[in-house]
Every structure is written in C-alpha cells, then in structure tokens.
Amino acid sequence: LIQQAKRAQVSRRAMLAGTGAGATALALAACSTDAGSELSPAEDTSADDPTLNWANWPFYIDEDDDGNFPTLVAFQEQTGIDVNYLITVDDNNSYFATVRDQLALGQDIGADTVCLTDWMVNRWIQLGYTQELNKDNIPNAANLVESLQNPAFDPGRVHSLPWQSGFAGIAYNVEEVGEIRSVSDLWTPELNGRVTVLAEMRDTIGLLMLENGVDISGDFTADQFNAALDVLREQVESGQVRNVRGNSYTEDLVNNDALAAIAWSGDITLLNFEEGYEKWKFVLPEAGGTLWSDNFMVPIGSPRKTNAETLMNYYYEPEVAAEVAAWVNYITPVAGAQEAAVAIDPELAENQLIFPNADTLAQTSVFRGLSAQEENEFQAAFQAILLGA
C-alpha cells in the first residue's frame, strides 16, 4: 500500500476540465420536503452477490496513470467483491434530484453506498432513505476520530460514516494577485470579473456570514443569512463575481478566467501538484473557514448492504486511509492515519489541510443544521442568485 501511495503521489494527472455541475444544475425540487410513508430496507443479498456500486465525487479516491484505483483494486483482491466505482456526484442537490423519486419508493438507485455532505445526509436520514449500519461488519469504525463520532444529524453514527472532510476558504493566484486574507479582499477593483465562488450554499454564504461576524454553528437568524446573501447578490450583479459553480470552479482558475475563488482545500493542493509549484495559495479567511464532511450511506433500496459495510471497514484501516489522503489531500476521519502517513511522506503527515491540529480547527466552523422551512427559504433565495450569475 505504501509503495502504491508513493506512486499515486507522483502520477496524478490533470483531469479538471469538463467536471462538476454549473450553477444552473441545482434543482429547486431538491429543496422541498418529502412526506412519504415509512420505508423498509431491501433484502440483503450480499452473500450471493459479491458486487457493489459506489457513487462518489470526482477526484476523490487514489488513482494511477492507467486510471485504476489502487486501494480499490486491493480491496477487490482481498474480498472478492467486484466494485463499480461511479463518479456521479457533482453536487448534493443535483444528485438528490436524480435519485429522489426512487428513494421515495424505497427502490434501488443503482448505488449501494454514496458519499454526500453532512446536511444532505441529515435530509436522507430524516426522510428514512438510509439503512442502519451493522457495526459488527465494520469493526474498524472504532478508528473514527472522536470529534466526528456524534454529529447532531446522526448521533452514534447509526446511519453514516465519514469518508473525507475538508475546508472551504479562499484560493488566489499568487503570480497575479497580492495577499488575500479576508472575503472582503475578493471585492477589490483589481479582481473585478475575476472571482469565482462555490455553488454550495453553506460554504459560500457561510464564509460571507463569518465575515459579518455571525456564528454559523449557532442559532443565527434569517436576517443574518439574508445580509450575507445581499453581499453575494451585489457582487454577482456588479460583475465582480464571474461565476458561481460546483466542482468545475477549478476550470476558471486553470484558465486564468478567475484569479481568486471561494474554494475547497483539497482541490487547490491538486491544482498546485499538477502545475508543479504553488501557483495558487489556499487560506482560511481571518474571520474563519467552513468545515464539512462527506459521508458513506447505504440507500434504503440497496440489496448489498453487507458488501458496502465491508468496503467501509476496509477504508477505515489507517494505512488505507493514509494512502487515500496522499492522493485526495482532504482530511481523513481515521485515527492512526497520520502515523501511517509518515511512512508515505513525512511532509504529508504535517500538512494542516490533511491532518489539521487544534489551532487550525479552531479557525473553522460547521454550518448548523437547518429546519425544513429554513432549507426551503434559504436555498430558494440562493438559487435565485445562481440563476442570474
């Protein structure tokens, strides 16, 4: 595994063009409240069906020059489970809009496990769209770091396990732009029309709210949310913000269409690796950045739950988690992975974007859970800005 990780670190290819959903791909339908009857989990046929469909985001697993996923290849060899790895998640809302009708009927959505962000996981759990995990099949779940063991949306991790975590902050082209330390620095005249922000509401609006001095983890008000929304609307309508995008925001940076962006930490590390030097700098704003996690879930209609749990258990082995971290450059949720990373690359083990210490984490906040009414109102208002971007 260590040798595979070393090769992965030096063989990643630029695969950024043409990925991610544009802002208009966000679906308002995903914001409404589902009110279905209680669903029953599908019968588990894993014992007779050694296959698994895993839906995930782009650039979110180790990959070699031949397009293979080394850790996944090793998993298949060890377990005999044939995994179909599906890169089908561009955005939480657009993915949910695609599978929502099947979920509401308790049907198989074609994915036995899918990795989505905390707030969307909260929605799936509340709607009864997930199966309870059998921890007897996931003994390595004991390696989950303490800070992620009891989130408000899933106390005790009954329905979910984190895949990776990360930060949203600011990235800027160091060759073209002076030092940027705050979100307000994005609105300077020299960056007019050269700023891109994320279509993920909780990250973009979260950073704007933090800039306004709002505790996004606490009981903030609609007025405080709307004040941040007004800032974004003004910057979009004035042309200061060039695009509001999903994963494809990186295209704007690569093409120099954008010189600065509200960005995700791991993406910038990958861009710099492909460039061969630190062309873009990622910083947590002085007012703070956002912290999020994407999580494994088993959809209610999956007939291969045990296979999915076997996969989760494998990726909670510290050595495997360290290998994935060496490639994706996001925060691993697995205790012991930092020690395992030393064998791959001592510098990797000190990277604050992968293994953040308490001081780094203190600069970040988690956007609090929203009520169904807030979700509808906030997302609709944010969507209206995206459609005009």
Side-chain angles (χ1 to χ4, degrees), residues 51 221 362:
T51 64
T221 66

Side-chain angles (χ1 to χ4, degrees), residues 61 114 169 185 210 323 355 373 389:
I61 193 173
V114 57
D185 291 340
L210 288 166
E323 183 177 355
F355 300 105
Q373 181 178 348

Side-chain angles (χ1 to χ4, degrees), residues 214-287:
V214 177
D215 177 9
I216 64 173
S217 298
D219 191 23
F220 60 78
T221 66
D223 287 343
Q224 291 172 317
F225 177 90
N226 289 326
L229 201 68
D230 288 341
V231 174
L232 178 62
R233 183 182 297 106
E234 177 185 351
Q235 300 306 327
V236 169
E237 291 179 351
S238 70
Q240 183 76 17
V241 170
R242 180 186 186 92
N243 281 316
V244 185
R245 309 188 74 177
N247 262 19
S248 55
Y249 79 93
T250 53
E251 296 173 15
D252 288 350
L253 293 174
V254 172
N255 296 333
N256 272 351
D257 289 335
L259 299 180
I262 290 178
W264 289 313
S265 51
D267 292 338
I268 305 308
T269 303
L270 176 58
L271 288 179
N272 284 328
F273 186 93
E274 298 299 344
E275 198 69 29
Y277 66 102
E278 192 172 296
K279 181 176 180 178
W280 297 277
K281 184 175 179 63
F282 178 87
V283 296
L284 292 173
E286 290 178 329

Side-chain angles (χ1 to χ4, degrees), residues 65-100:
D65 275 342
D66 297 322
N68 298 314
F69 310 119
T71 57
L72 203 50
V73 170
F75 170 78
Q76 293 176 114
E77 292 174 347
Q78 289 179 22
T79 65
I81 298 173
D82 186 19
V83 181
N84 183 22
Y85 186 74
L86 307 168
I87 306 174
T88 51
V89 182
D90 291 318
D91 170 271
N92 285 287
N93 277 311
S94 60
Y95 183 82
F96 182 51
T98 301
V99 301
R100 175 183 168 186

Side-chain angles (χ1 to χ4, degrees), residues 2 4 48 58 67 75 103 113 126 146 163 206 292 338 358 376:
I2 290 173
Q4 290 172 344
D48 300 315
F75 170 78
L103 286 169
T113 187
Q126 288 183 341
E146 184 177 358
W163 164 240
W292 46 265
Q338 184 172 19
N376 286 337

Side-chain angles (χ1 to χ4, degrees), residues 21-24 195-200 204 232 236 241-246 249 252 382 385-386 389:
T24 55
V195 177
T196 292
V197 301
L198 293 169
E200 181 61 63
T204 291
L232 178 62
V236 169
V241 170
R242 180 186 186 92
N243 281 316
V244 185
R245 309 188 74 177
Y249 79 93
D252 288 350
F382 185 64
I385 295 177
L386 301 195

